Amino acid sequence: MTFTPGEFRKALGVFPTGVAVVAARAPDGLLQGTTVSSFNSVSLDPPLVLFSLARTVLSFSAWQAANVWGISVLHETQDGLSTRFAQSGGGKWLGFEPIAGVTGVPLIPGALAYFECERYAVHDGGDHLIFVGRVLALGRPSGSSSRPLIFFAGRYHQIDRPRQGASESDEGILHGW
């Protein structure tokens, strides 16, 4: 290897990502939640998404046991919630109530979009575990902001505006949707 883990992380930081909170209820009933920027679409048929979780997360064993979870895509003003759920340890849910999705999974109120998932597959990802979920329900709350929270170069950012000349017909062009 001709680069350090720090150099690798810094190079990855130039790829902007959206930010989401993944939440589940542990077998003992306790709420689990963590901020992820590793949320991706996998398949349209069946509808699959993924996120990855570091093996060092304190609640790792609870996530390994989770069979259903909710993914809340944060909008541009929810950076405080992102920071809250990125912190380790308990207390993330103190004074904060999730909403229950149609499948009963915990979701973040006011999020840009929601995905309610059941476990489809789990894969080794080195120092992370990759969770693939089959989407059972989804939603885009009416009146929600259409601008996501973005993480880039180690900081939160906001989308300023669409590229001039971009049209709605460009939607899905990267995946051929």
Side-chain angles (χ1 to χ4, degrees), residues 50-142:
L50 70 77
F51 71 93
S52 63
L53 193 65
R55 294 177 187 274
T56 57
V57 170
L58 294 176
S59 57
F60 188 73
S61 61
W63 282 104
Q64 285 181 297
N67 289 316
V68 293
W69 54 80
I71 301 170
S72 302
V73 178
L74 301 184
H75 69 72
E76 66 183 353
T77 64
Q78 292 182 307
D79 53 315
L81 284 173
S82 173
T83 300
R84 176 184 193 141
F85 283 93
Q87 297 173 0
S88 61
K92 296 175 186 186
W93 297 99
L94 289 176
F96 184 82
E97 276 298 314
I99 57 175
V102 296
T103 64
V105 298
L107 300 168
I108 301 298
L112 185 62
Y114 305 109
F115 299 87
E116 300 179 48
C117 304
E118 68 180 354
R119 179 189 294 238
Y120 183 82
V122 177
H123 300 284
D124 177 41
D127 60 3
H128 282 62
L129 202 57
I130 301 165
F131 293 83
V132 180
R134 182 183 184 104
V135 179
L136 302 174
L138 56 84
R140 287 196 62 193
S142 62

